[in-house]
Amino acid sequence: MRARSGTACPTGREPTEREAGPLDSTGSDTVVPHQLGHPSAAPPTARPAHQRLLIWATALFLAAATLLVACRAAGVDAVTPVPQLLAFLPWLLVPAGAALLLTALLRWRAGVVWALVLLGGTGWFVRPYDAGATGPRGPALARVEVLTSNVEFGQATLGLIAAIRREKPDLVFVQECEFICARLLDTEIPRSAYPYRHVVEAGGAEGSAIFSVFPLTHTAGIDGTLAMPGSDARIGGRTVGLQLAHPLPPVPGGVDDWREELGRVRTYAAAHRQGPVILAGDFNATRDHAAFRDVLDAGGLLDSAALGGAGRTPSWPSDAPRPLGAQIDHVLVSDDFSVRDARFLDLADTDHRSLLVSLELHGKQDGKQHAK
């Protein structure tokens, strides 16, 4: 029997249309998946353009914030803008929290995890300052009230005079006390109240002063662009080192000078580690700056604001509503002192809040100087 013309079927019968399948555009017998009864894979749904834009913007923020927290963790102040932003590290919690909420709303899982890690790291570093263990102390020898104030080119001098008259501190550290400020303090603050003074008269922000009810012996102080005088005070039968701190601020282009001058403050702290010391002033740095933590570590110093219940209270800029701002004004003390209280005062016409702390100086324990 003769076969039909064309290709013969191995089974001896003609293929049906279902078996052969439709031809593709090239004419070949390509089988289309859905015609074999298999569902075709649906293409992934693309995000709307505005969601993609939000994810990219959030990712850029998270990357920059992660770099900042990484610098804090590594103990590196780095370069501009890192030192400037580190001063306001606690406020990173606000945009980081917003980023977490946004990534959750966008259902971006990787972003949610990223934001959670960032929040956890930031929260770890901005937790309340560790007061630290100070160990046993000897008997209390004297109570000492300390006031530090940056009067911004002397503009707040009258407010400072009023605060001195009201609070009656034993020691006053004044920064940015230019010529008129020095003259006003000299005429308006009676010598009978503060007979011992170490004043460096200079213009602009360079002048500084230390006023004391305790006998003073002038020391070399710390070399800096802005005056940082020092003295030894005789308090409760002990010699206490007094040092005013006012290093340059970490402005863009001036970070190296800021770091260098804080390094000189660190050198002073390290050299006076074995005796009682009070180091007070405008440090232009917060606890989140590695250069400031180096000062604390080198001198075995304690932050009186933290010990006195005012940790993280902002001192600059004063026109920012609390709790906004950064705490750059400090009274640091050796552990020969205990801290009874610390509070910040608002003075008119200055961009800084003043810090008033109440201290007690202790004697030697068991006839030995307490080790730092």
Side-chain angles (χ1 to χ4, degrees), residues 145-151 160 169 171-175 209 244-245 279-283 304 329-332 343-345 347 352-357:
E145 303 284 331
V146 181
L147 175 67
T148 180
S149 181
N150 182 320
V151 292
L160 173 61
L171 297 170
V172 183
F173 295 80
V174 190
Q175 304 91 57
L244 185 146
L279 184 54
D282 171 12
F283 285 75
S304 62
D329 298 87
H330 308 276
V331 175
L332 309 182
R343 55 194 172 97
F344 285 88
L345 311 177
L347 303 184
H352 288 253
R353 292 185 175 97
S354 301
L355 174 58
L356 178 67
V357 301

Side-chain angles (χ1 to χ4, degrees), residues 97-229:
L100 176 62
L101 177 61
L102 184 59
T103 54
L105 290 175
L106 291 171
R107 298 183 181 180
W108 179 29
R109 294 181 181 178
V112 169
V113 174
W114 193 355
L116 281 172
V117 172
L118 177 63
L119 274 171
T122 306
W124 172 259
F125 290 118
V126 302
R127 70 194 190 282
Y129 288 159
D130 182 12
T134 56
R137 293 191 179 91
L141 302 177
R143 184 174 295 182
V144 185
E145 303 284 331
V146 181
L147 175 67
T148 180
S149 181
N150 182 320
V151 292
E152 194 182 5
F153 309 116
Q155 296 173 156
T157 304
L158 294 178
L160 173 61
I161 291 170
I164 292 172
R165 290 172 176 169
R166 181 179 66 251
E167 304 293 345
K168 297 179 173 58
D170 301 300
L171 297 170
V172 183
F173 295 80
V174 190
Q175 304 91 57
E176 300 194 20
C177 185
E178 43 71 75
F179 295 112
I180 295 177
C181 167
R183 294 185 190 124
L184 281 172
L185 291 177
D186 184 56
T187 58
E188 297 298 323
I189 302 297
R191 289 275 175 175
S192 58
Y194 294 90
Y196 307 101
R197 309 177 181 201
H198 189 175
V199 180
V200 179
E201 294 192 28
E206 297 180 18
S208 295
I210 300 174
F211 279 48
S212 173
V213 302
F214 306 109
L216 294 182
T217 302
H218 295 355
T219 60
I222 299 173
D223 184 32
T225 305
L226 310 175
M228 292 189 275

Side-chain angles (χ1 to χ4, degrees), residues 215-251:
L216 294 182
T217 302
H218 295 355
T219 60
I222 299 173
D223 184 32
T225 305
L226 310 175
M228 292 189 275
S231 295
D232 285 336
R234 194 66 181 165
I235 306 175
R238 301 192 68 182
T239 299
V240 178
L242 307 180
Q243 179 59 54
L244 185 146
H246 195 196
L248 289 168
V251 296

Side-chain angles (χ1 to χ4, degrees), residues 14 29-30 37 45-46 62 75 83 104 121 132 134 143 221 225 245 252 272 277 311 327 352:
E14 293 291 331
D29 292 336
T30 303
T45 303
L62 290 173
T134 56
R143 184 174 295 182
T225 305
H272 292 77
V277 66
Q327 188 180 108
H352 288 253

Side-chain angles (χ1 to χ4, degrees), residues 318-340:
S318 60
D319 56 356
R322 296 188 189 188
L324 300 177
Q327 188 180 108
I328 64 174
D329 298 87
H330 308 276
V331 175
L332 309 182
V333 297
S334 61
D335 63 0
D336 303 274
F337 292 91
S338 59
V339 181
R340 297 173 55 87

Side-chain angles (χ1 to χ4, degrees), residues 2 23 26 38 66 75 81 93 122 131 140 167 218 221 256 280 295 309 314 328 342 345 364:
R2 294 178 59 184
L23 295 176
T26 62
H38 300 292
T66 299
L93 290 171
T122 306
E167 304 293 345
H218 295 355
D256 288 341
V295 174
I328 64 174
L345 311 177
K364 298 178 181 179

